[in-house]
Amino acid sequence: HIAFIGHPAELDDVLPKVLNGSWRSSYEAKAADAKRIAHNQLAAREMSLTRPIYAKLTPAMQAEDWTAALLAIEEGLALMPDSCEFRQIHADLLLHKLRDIKTGMPVMRELVEDAIDKKFEAVSWMVMALNQLFDPTIDNSHLPHDDRFAMGNELSEQILELNPPQGDGPLKFHWYIPVAQYYYESGNKDRAIELIEVAIKSLDHQEPMPDHTKQHYLTPLLQALANYTG
């Protein structure tokens, strides 16, 4: 049996070398092993840092003890200041759980700026940030209107520039929901509907996924479309 860990697209190059016996001693094999080892070491290090944080954070979140949760996540950020998940939780706690607008909005602005500055992870970070401001399932009425819409505009434009509707970029079915919500709340209902329709169609262009997974992504898209057209 042959086990391959990597992207399927790499198999066309790797498999012939495995079959003829040249892969094991090749430079590519050694480089792949080094990359795998480095990745595993990084993952192990991150787990060693995050495990004690989640040991404090999880029970605090379950008990809705937002102050204790905030202390835990701030401890986590001191260890891993560029953790996407920690920064998302931090913003959510301040803006939506504690509703500490004075502290939360500067944190949110910094998150938006950092998300836009990202390179390879830019869109996923920007969508995460935009969800804090325009997730249709969250009540954002307590957030300062002008700041919220200014950040929403900047994030939405950047997301669509990197993953335009006419392009074949990935994850439109997930990433376009907060973008569409921004345009809808801004009064541009036609743009919001267009983006949701593109997102729905994109589900048919993805690699095959289980029906329950497809339904998971389709349900909020159909709900958004119903809200915008109703």
Side-chain angles (χ1 to χ4, degrees):
H1 298 284
I2 297 173
F4 175 71
I5 301 174
H7 195 281
E10 299 172 358
L11 268 175
D12 289 343
D13 180 57
V14 172
L15 188 56
K17 295 177 182 178
V18 172
L19 295 176
N20 67 25
S22 64
W23 171 255
R24 186 177 298 276
S25 61
S26 68
Y27 169 79
E28 294 99 324
K30 294 175 182 177
D33 280 345
K35 183 178 179 181
R36 175 179 53 80
I37 291 169
H39 174 78
N40 290 343
Q41 288 175 338
L42 178 61
R45 178 180 176 275
E46 288 185 354
M47 187 173 293
S48 70
L49 293 174
T50 59
R51 187 182 293 114
I53 301 302
Y54 282 113
K56 300 175 184 178
L57 177 65
T58 301
M61 295 288 279
Q62 291 172 342
E64 298 187 2
D65 184 346
W66 307 131
T67 301
L70 182 63
L71 289 173
I73 208 65
E74 287 178 343
E75 182 181 340
L77 284 169
L79 295 171
M80 300 175 63
D82 206 33
S83 166
C84 179
E85 186 168 2
F86 282 176
R87 294 188 67 179
Q88 177 183 3
I89 295 170
H90 189 216
D92 181 61
L93 283 169
L94 290 171
L95 292 178
H96 302 296
K97 301 300 191 295
L98 293 167
R99 297 202 169 195
D100 181 353
I101 304 302
K102 183 178 180 180
T103 306
M105 289 308 289
V107 166
M108 192 67 223
R109 289 190 197 97
E110 184 178 4
L111 179 57
V112 169
E113 291 169 2
D114 288 349
I116 291 171
D117 286 341
K118 294 288 177 184
K119 293 183 180 179
F120 302 111
E121 302 170 300
V123 178
S124 59
W125 272 72
M126 285 190 283
V127 171
M128 177 269 288
L130 189 59
N131 264 316
Q132 293 298 322
L133 301 168
F134 286 93
D135 183 337
T137 66
I138 296 177
D139 177 15
N140 289 300
S141 60
H142 60 290
L143 300 181
H145 178 277
D146 291 349
D147 287 344
R148 177 173 173 247
F149 278 83
M151 287 187 281
N153 178 64
E154 189 172 8
L155 288 166
S156 296
E157 288 186 353
Q158 290 284 337
I159 291 167
L160 293 178
E161 181 178 336
L162 292 172
N163 192 355
Q166 67 274 18
D168 58 357
L171 297 175
K172 289 183 173 68
F173 55 85
H174 178 53
W175 289 347
Y176 273 17
I177 290 178
V179 180
Q181 185 67 18
Y182 159 74
Y183 282 107
Y184 178 71
E185 292 190 38
S186 298
N188 193 343
K189 186 168 72 170
D190 290 343
R191 182 62 161 161
I193 292 171
E194 174 198 352
L195 291 173
I196 292 297
E197 289 176 342
V198 168
I200 291 172
K201 290 177 182 176
S202 75
L203 276 169
D204 295 327
H205 301 150
Q206 302 299 311
E207 294 181 4
M209 64 176 69
D211 288 343
H212 69 276
T213 303
K214 184 174 182 179
Q215 192 61 43
H216 169 76
Y217 290 113
L218 184 59
T219 298
L221 291 169
L222 293 176
Q223 182 62 58
L225 189 61
N227 292 341
Y228 300 163
T229 58

